[in-house]
Amino acid sequence: IILLTAGVYIGRAPRHRDVPFSDLLTALERGEVTAVRAAEDDVYADLESGGTLRTTAPTGYFGNNPELFAALARNGVRVEVDGASRRLFNGLALLLGAGVLGLVGFTAWRTTTGRIPSVTGRTKLAGKGQPPVTFDDVAGVDEAKEELREIVDFLREPQRFAGLGGRIPRGVLLAGPPGTGKTLLARSIAGEAGVPFLFASGSEFVEMFAGVGAARIRRLFKDARKHGRCIIFIDEIDAVGRSRGSQSLSHEEREQTLNQLLVEMDGFEGHGGIIVIAATNRQDILDPALLRPGRFDRQVSVGNPDLRGREEILRVHARTVKIGDQVELLRVARGTPGFSGADLANLINEAALIAGRAGRAAVEQADLEAARDKVMMGVERKSLQLTARERVVTAWHEAGHAVVAALLPHADPVHKVSIVPRGRAMGVTMQLPDTDRHTYTRDYLETQIAILMGGRAAEQ
Ligand code: ADP
């Protein structure tokens, strides 16, 4: 835009000579002028002999000078006047063009040089000013904690290990489904060892501009080195750590970033006390180079908690809310198979909200059950208009499930039957196993099928 506008200007502007105003008057009087172009105060006069004069006329000279116009017209002089608005418009267009170009240039500069705020600003020193997270805040992942305790020992007393000449682990990969406490574990290592915790997310390193991700990795490790002993946590490392060259997903920028990460991890001395902890829920797609000894050679799997783990997690989170004396958290734990730590934290929170809404002083068992149902099956659909017949049919249907489940020897005990519609279900029959099931027998599965068909059978 700028070039075009400038081109028009330059192409139009003839060469001219700057002269005093009196010269213009003289030239006019002598009849040497063939054309006059006035643009606000500037006046251009084309001469018969060729060439152009430019001068500055007194304000309003042309506009308020009827005799002059008459004289000019008599002499056959062409008169052109550029309005102020047109010049303003041209000026604005030029300014706008320059602005856009400047912005583009600035953005490109910001994102390609190492000094961009988005590189510097992203290294988050998490948890500053908050009480440190400790292993006590993480429950139900005892094996993982056991493995990670070693890292804590190393961060606390690096000399003890260095003296023996052993190679200190540099990277730990926490693998497991979302919400199982991977971030929490990493933070608790930092908390236990009393070292800073630098947080980054894998997706931050994947940018449109080549080289930015790598620059951010460099920056991250530079910051880490400043702290001396510290923990770098990279969440969702699969965003950068995908196998290189994996067909269509292959991506120059990501490869560059991954390479930089590998270089940095190889580069720092084990004694430097920087430990990289990464989390992923897609360990299968990680580049094997990442998992090589000397990099993320420790792999700790963090799974969904079992019954006892769920109870412990509930207990951890129950510390933050007022819980009634009668509450049995084990019951809640039994009713929440497959829940992750985050789900359980959410459940406690929902229960507190429900109790608060009901105006109770403490969270009771019923609140926890209501919260569980809500988290598990969605909110009650009170507004759903049901005919009496539909209700009866649902009642028969659920009763069918319940009776079959109650009578068959291999079925899990029936916990609750409801015909309140929730989410997409019209009603529900809930069974609670006494323990978490990891394998299923033929009898158990046949019983399940019988229970499922019991609903329809009862309707008939
Ligand atoms: P991830 O990183 O595995 O996706 P997070 O560590 O971010 O999961 O967990 C989210 C939240 O869930 C935590 O802040 C915590 O409140 C709760 N949580 C998850 N797992 C646990 C656990 N094992 N013990 C206690 N709280 C947990």
Side-chain angles (χ1 to χ4, degrees):
I1 289 170
I2 289 184
L3 287 181
L4 276 179
T5 318
V8 167
Y9 263 95
I10 291 165
R12 257 182 27 170
R15 308 204 159 273
H16 54 249
R17 197 152 49 89
D18 284 312
V19 294
F21 181 57
S22 55
D23 284 16
L24 174 74
L25 293 183
T26 319
L28 281 173
E29 234 150 73
R30 286 195 195 143
E32 293 172 357
V33 179
T34 55
V36 171
R37 205 165 59 252
E40 287 185 57
D41 301 342
D42 280 346
V43 182
Y44 298 84
D46 293 338
L47 298 182
E48 225 165 22
S49 54
T52 303
L53 302 180
R54 185 176 80 169
T55 189
T56 304
T59 312
Y61 176 78
F62 269 94
N64 302 330
N65 221 334
E67 294 110 70
L68 178 72
F69 279 114
L72 289 173
R74 258 201 315 281
N75 292 334
V77 178
R78 218 170 90 94
V79 179
E80 249 180 75
V81 178
D82 271 358
S85 57
R86 178 155 149 216
R87 304 194 95 213
L88 192 70
F89 173 78
N90 282 338
L92 275 182
L94 208 67
L95 218 65
L96 200 76
V100 168
L101 202 72
L103 202 73
V104 169
F106 180 65
T107 316
W109 170 79
R110 263 177 32 131
T111 30
T112 46
T113 67
R115 284 178 290 162
I116 36 178
S118 46
V119 163
T120 50
R122 296 245 182 139
T123 309
K124 279 171 256 157
L125 198 56
K128 238 186 172 174
Q130 298 164 8
V133 179
T134 66
F135 274 161
D136 288 341
D137 297 311
V138 195
V141 282
D142 295 339
E143 291 86 359
K145 274 205 271 189
E146 212 46 62
E147 285 207 50
L148 295 171
R149 195 148 292 169
E150 198 182 67
I151 306 281
V152 173
D153 287 342
F154 159 66
L155 282 168
R156 275 195 189 142
E157 328 170 55
Q159 321 82 2
R160 201 175 88 194
F161 294 81
L164 290 170
R167 198 174 49 77
I168 304 303
R170 289 172 185 174
V172 180
L173 182 72
L174 301 176
T180 46
K182 297 182 290 295
T183 312
L184 203 62
L185 265 173
R187 293 188 58 171
S188 69
I189 296 173
E192 289 279 330
V195 299
F197 179 78
L198 278 86
F199 179 93
S201 171
S203 51
E204 287 170 18
F205 300 116
V206 183
E207 280 285 344
M208 197 166 67
F209 298 100
V212 179
R216 287 197 183 135
I217 294 267
R218 263 197 303 278
R219 182 82 212 183
L220 178 64
F221 279 82
K222 207 170 132 205
D223 285 348
R225 276 190 288 271
K226 267 189 243 152
H227 288 293
R229 284 182 305 149
C230 69
I231 285 187
I232 296 179
F233 179 70
I234 305 177
D235 204 1
E236 293 168 56
I237 192 152
D238 37 293
V240 277
R242 244 168 236 267
S243 294
R244 282 170 293 186
S246 56
Q247 307 120 26
S248 59
L249 288 172
S250 140
H251 190 298
E252 189 86 11
E253 153 71 350
R254 203 178 49 221
E255 251 171 55
Q256 213 175 336
T257 309
L258 178 56
N259 283 336
Q260 188 63 41
L261 179 65
L262 296 178
V263 166
E264 293 284 352
M265 289 196 70
D266 282 339
F268 64 73
E269 287 295 305
H271 312 304
I274 300 172
I275 291 190
V276 187
I277 300 181
T280 179
N281 47 25
R282 295 296 312 274
Q283 196 181 356
D284 50 322
I285 58 165
L286 288 186
D287 195 295
L290 268 177
L291 308 177
R292 212 199 65 183
R295 290 159 182 170
F296 293 104
D297 42 3
R298 290 291 160 94
Q299 285 146 42
V300 177
S301 85
V302 187
N304 277 335
D306 58 6
L307 178 62
R308 203 174 54 82
R310 286 198 300 275
E311 192 191 356
E312 282 171 18
I313 294 175
L314 285 169
R315 192 147 291 139
V316 165
H317 289 283
R319 289 195 306 227
T320 57
V321 296
K322 262 188 102 141
I323 292 270
D325 306 332
Q326 310 291 310
V327 170
E328 282 177 70
L329 289 178
L330 180 63
R331 252 176 90 95
V332 183
R334 270 185 53 207
T336 48
F339 270 44
S340 70
D343 292 332
L344 293 168
N346 185 25
L347 186 154
I348 294 275
N349 189 51
E350 283 288 344
L353 294 182
I354 291 171
R357 220 173 295 146
R360 273 190 279 281
V363 177
E364 298 300 340
Q365 192 79 29
D367 301 324
L368 288 164
E369 305 248 332
R372 194 250 345 257
D373 290 350
K374 189 171 163 191
V375 173
M376 220 174 197
M377 295 175 286
V379 271
E380 286 181 19
R381 291 171 62 190
K382 292 208 177 90
S383 62
L384 193 65
Q385 293 288 323
L386 290 178
T387 61
R389 167 138 190 91
E390 278 172 320
R391 266 184 230 282
V392 168
V393 170
T394 309
W396 275 108
H397 184 96
E398 297 306 331
H401 289 312
V403 167
V404 177
L407 291 179
L408 290 183
H410 296 286
D412 293 325
V414 177
H415 173 69
K416 173 173 179 171
V417 187
S418 158
I419 59 161
V420 179
R422 275 175 191 279
R424 293 175 51 194
M426 297 288 288
V428 68
T429 299
M430 207 171 155
Q431 297 164 258
L432 286 190
D434 295 319
T435 55
D436 287 355
R437 266 174 214 284
H438 303 291
T439 56
Y440 301 100
T441 61
R442 188 189 174 99
D443 282 338
Y444 178 79
L445 292 173
E446 280 174 355
T447 304
Q448 276 321 98
I449 294 171
I451 294 171
L452 290 174
M453 301 215 269
R456 176 69 191 144
E459 282 180 42
Q460 284 182 317

